[in-house]
Amino acid sequence: MSGPNDDIKKERERFVAFAFAAAEIFLEIDALGQVLFESGAADKLSSNGRSLLGTPLFDRVYSEDSDILMALMDHLDYKGRIGPMPIRFKLDDGDIVALRLFGLRMPGREKRTFLSLRSAPLSSLADSGATDTATGLLTRDGFMELAAKTMQNFDGPLFMTAISIEGIQESRKKFGSRHAERLLKRISAHLKTLSADGMSAGQIGESEFAFLHRQKGDADYASKSIEDAGKDSDLKAVAATIAADQDLGEGEVIRTLTYVLSKFCENPDGCTFTSVADAYDIMAGETQKRVNTMRHMIETGSFKMAFQPVVSLQTGDIHHHEVLSRFTIDGREESPQNIIRFAEDVGIIEEFDLSLCVKAIDYIRKMRRLGSHVDVSLNLSGRTLESGRLRDALADILIGAQDISRSIVLELTETKAIEDFERVQKLLAEFKTSGFQICLDDFGVGAAGYQYLRAFDVDMVKISGEYVREMGEATYRPTFLLSMVRLCDDLGVKTVGEHVETRFQADFLKSLGVKYGQGYYFGRPTFSPKVS
Ligand code: C2E
Ligand code: CA
């Protein structure tokens, strides 16, 4: 026979079973963090299996993570339930155990906190490249990826808030870097605790952070918590929130969020987008305006050419100048890197490359008429060689300039965009026959460089500036660079070292057998090349 007591007992057992199915350790702690109740495998956290009852839980938490438990205790009244939060405990033998923590506060129980802890494989908490090891916050890229996925595929209300925190750098200056690091950890703990799943918070700039959350009010609450946590440092937080809404593709969401976050980093106070769709519309309008401006610049040739010398490391003589484009938009100099990337993204790089070729050819001819001789290299995007639309037009322009082809090196950039390998190979062979030289830009970045080296019968390669920058570092080994130089030598391909900023780098490249150097040490890009 089963009576009401049996039913209650069964029911209770059922809930206990549910609890154990989800977690392994259960603790109840008071407002100061003293353990009032323990169950499950709590002995995992104690010394020699001793009970934790009556001891402060904070003593068990790994010191780097105590801010997390503190922030969790702070925010439980506001959030009701928090977790899973990754948190580490230290054991008596010095080992560290990583667990996932869920917290709940029951109304009317005098700030008693119920915690359940579940194992978490260390690997998922350890730095996977997307998380900063010191703060546990996602990196900008890691956050973007997570935010775009989550905001594209969301259930229930979801928001992204960006927070700019003024005062961290000042605090570093005033109180030292240890203090600033502690502060950063506290800020991180608040953001993680308030984020949708305890981990969806990231650092997106030096003083800018972002997190995903479920309630609109979380943004103000987080700003206030951070300002309170950094009272001694006089922190000031400015936040902007956007809501996830309607169906945009993942690519569109990622572009929109990147746009929102970069606008926010530029001017936190002026960032007033309300939702992803709203930001998308504004971004699309701006993009169209930029495309129009860029098209106008291409059609009228109203951009400038700067020239940077490429110098023989043996003799110091200028071999040629690389042409680097310079853009002024609305009276402001814009970064060529951004403009070129933009032109590639919106599919007008082909028109731009053509326009630059025409401009450079005109320039070389004009200089010749004036009795001066200038040799140049021109950047050509892999996309332009690939493009069915403009390949013929490019060929017409270049083959029509055979009178000056010996003064021009074609630098292939963005080679990863090349898919129709044989076609590009044929086109380049035609250019070579017409007297142009071929150079591979950014050599050493990505594996494909070697494949192109042979297939495109190149005359010259530019060794990526990364290899040159590393030269001053104590751990630097030239093995890889040396093997690239040897390979090029064997194939009769000339080498250029980029971003040479010091005499040491120039001498080092020379000693490795690199033929030419380019960089601020030899000369910055200027509007008037040295001519002979
Ligand atoms: P890139 O082809 O790798 O050009 C070299 C970049 O390194 C230039 O940046 C140059 O100003 C910079 N640089 C030169 N010496 C040094 C140095 O010693 N240290 C450092 N840190 N940097 C140095 P810039 O002019 O901003 O151009 C950026 C990129 O934009 C270029 O990278 C190229 O990919 C693209 N670009 C520029 N003009 C054109 C163009 O007319 N057509 C195409 N397709 N791309 C262009
Ligand atoms: Ca280049």
Side-chain angles (χ1 to χ4, degrees):
M1 277 241 307
S2 74
N5 276 350
D6 284 343
D7 284 347
I8 291 171
K9 202 169 151 223
K10 266 193 197 147
E11 189 80 340
R12 207 170 54 202
E13 278 167 5
R14 184 174 288 144
F15 278 108
V16 170
F18 282 148
F20 275 99
E24 291 147 12
I25 300 173
F26 303 93
L27 301 169
E28 180 182 345
I29 56 176
D30 66 14
L32 298 172
Q34 296 262 11
V35 178
L36 303 174
F37 170 85
E38 63 180 357
S39 184
D43 55 348
K44 233 175 154 177
L45 303 180
S46 65
S47 353
N48 313 319
R50 257 183 287 150
S51 164
L52 296 176
L53 282 179
T55 64
L57 187 63
F58 278 99
D59 286 358
R60 300 273 120 208
V61 175
Y62 180 49
S63 56
E64 297 280 309
D65 288 355
S66 57
D67 287 330
I68 296 193
L69 187 58
M70 213 123 61
L72 179 119
M73 305 269 289
D74 264 3
H75 300 318
L76 265 176
D77 278 338
Y78 170 74
K79 290 267 284 190
R81 183 178 186 276
I82 291 181
M85 298 286 306
I87 190 164
R88 290 165 294 181
F89 289 84
K90 62 173 185 295
L91 307 181
D92 289 323
D93 56 9
D95 276 0
I96 292 182
V97 57
L99 297 171
R100 285 180 194 279
L101 171 68
F102 294 77
L104 180 81
R105 192 161 287 154
M106 298 280 259
R109 296 291 297 263
E110 296 155 4
K111 293 245 175 219
R112 295 216 178 149
T113 303
F114 296 83
L115 302 175
S116 68
L117 293 150
R118 185 196 291 179
S119 307
L122 251 183
S123 59
S124 70
L125 298 178
D127 186 11
S128 56
T131 324
D132 179 86
T133 31
T135 60
L137 289 176
L138 291 163
T139 58
R140 186 185 170 111
D141 287 350
F143 178 77
M144 288 306 305
E145 197 178 315
L146 176 84
K149 273 208 185 91
T150 321
M151 292 192 93
Q152 194 235 335
N153 215 340
F154 63 102
D155 52 355
L158 182 70
F159 301 88
M160 179 185 83
T161 287
I163 299 194
S164 163
I165 302 171
E166 230 177 76
I168 303 177
Q169 306 315 329
E170 289 72 7
S171 152
R172 188 184 300 278
K173 276 188 212 137
K174 214 156 130 194
F175 303 114
S177 46
R178 272 179 73 91
H179 181 275
E181 271 152 33
R182 291 268 329 122
L183 190 60
L184 203 57
K185 278 213 180 102
R186 250 181 288 151
I187 294 172
S188 314
H190 283 290
L191 290 174
K192 282 190 285 182
T193 314
L194 293 170
S195 73
D197 67 354
M199 291 188 71
S200 40
Q203 183 162 7
I204 54 167
E206 204 172 15
S207 330
E208 290 90 10
F209 304 81
F211 72 112
L212 301 179
H213 53 101
R214 294 281 178 196
Q215 295 176 45
K216 196 149 192 261
D218 292 344
D220 286 343
Y221 182 80
S223 301
K224 195 173 168 316
S225 307
I226 289 169
E227 286 180 0
D228 286 348
K231 268 210 173 89
D232 54 348
S233 304
D234 209 9
L235 296 187
K236 199 175 160 312
V238 179
T241 302
I242 61 168
D245 59 2
Q246 57 148 266
D247 316 320
L248 288 172
E250 192 175 323
E252 286 162 337
V253 175
I254 218 169
R255 271 205 296 137
T256 311
L257 296 185
T258 309
Y259 170 78
V260 169
L261 291 182
S262 66
K263 285 277 164 195
F264 179 80
C265 290
E266 261 172 39
N267 177 15
D269 287 311
C271 198
T272 53
F273 311 109
T274 54
S275 68
V276 176
D278 166 50
Y280 178 78
D281 287 345
I282 295 172
M283 177 182 73
E286 266 186 28
T287 307
Q288 194 49 49
K289 201 173 140 226
R290 284 187 78 183
V291 171
N292 293 344
T293 311
M294 183 87 196
R295 275 198 193 287
H296 180 75
M297 257 185 330
I298 293 169
E299 278 160 19
T300 55
S302 56
F303 55 90
K304 284 188 171 171
M305 293 188 295
F307 299 83
Q308 188 178 30
V310 175
V311 168
S312 159
L313 291 173
Q314 293 292 337
T315 63
D317 294 341
I318 293 176
H319 180 262
H320 68 272
H321 288 86
E322 176 175 8
V323 175
L324 294 160
S325 299
R326 295 291 176 257
F327 307 89
T328 310
I329 296 176
D330 295 335
R332 243 188 23 207
E333 275 244 346
E334 291 262 350
S335 141
Q337 192 93 48
N338 290 348
I339 298 271
I340 298 287
R341 197 174 304 142
F342 174 76
E344 279 166 352
D345 286 349
V346 298
I348 50 176
I349 188 67
E350 297 89 335
E351 278 89 349
F352 176 72
D353 278 352
L354 255 62
S355 173
L356 177 92
C357 285
V358 170
K359 201 174 169 84
I361 290 166
D362 282 353
Y363 179 80
I364 298 169
R365 285 194 180 130
K366 192 176 95 195
M367 294 302 273
R368 288 225 181 147
R369 282 199 298 275
L370 295 171
S372 302
H373 191 95
V374 57
D375 293 337
V376 300
S377 64
L378 307 178
N379 288 287
L380 269 190
S381 170
R383 288 170 208 240
T384 309
L385 301 173
E386 181 81 10
S387 155
R389 199 160 50 89
L390 291 175
R391 211 176 24 227
D392 293 346
L394 177 72
D396 286 348
I397 292 169
L398 290 180
I399 290 163
Q402 288 192 41
D403 52 318
I404 53 161
S405 59
R406 283 187 166 60
S407 286
I408 298 179
V409 179
L410 302 173
E411 264 186 41
L412 304 193
T413 66
E414 271 289 291
T415 39
K416 61 178 180 298
I418 297 174
E419 278 170 13
D420 193 344
F421 204 76
E422 277 174 28
R423 202 169 212 160
V424 171
Q425 204 174 12
K426 252 178 75 191
L427 190 66
L428 291 176
E430 225 177 298
F431 295 158
K432 277 198 73 142
T433 315
S434 305
F436 296 94
Q437 291 187 61
I438 309 292
C439 170
L440 276 188
D441 209 354
D442 272 331
F443 192 63
V445 179
Y450 290 94
Q451 185 189 1
Y452 300 135
L453 193 60
R454 291 191 80 102
F456 295 162
D457 189 15
V458 305
D459 301 280
M460 198 177 274
V461 301
K462 283 194 141 168
I463 295 165
S464 165
E466 273 171 52
Y467 296 99
V468 180
R469 206 172 317 125
E470 288 170 355
M471 269 170 196
E473 293 167 15
T475 51
Y476 176 70
R477 296 276 172 284
T479 331
F480 193 56
L481 187 53
L482 200 56
S483 69
M484 284 199 281
V485 177
R486 288 215 177 110
L487 174 73
C488 291
D489 264 354
D490 289 347
L491 296 171
V493 175
K494 286 168 275 183
T495 41
V496 184
E498 278 188 308
H499 294 190
V500 181
E501 295 185 356
T502 63
R503 178 170 179 170
F504 171 77
Q505 291 167 335
D507 289 344
F508 203 96
L509 285 168
K510 188 167 117 183
S511 74
L512 295 179
V514 175
K515 200 161 166 60
Y516 303 108
Q518 176 182 2
Y520 300 158
Y521 176 66
F522 299 110
R524 289 189 177 250
T526 61
F527 292 121
S528 41
K530 288 204 182 76
V531 291
S532 53

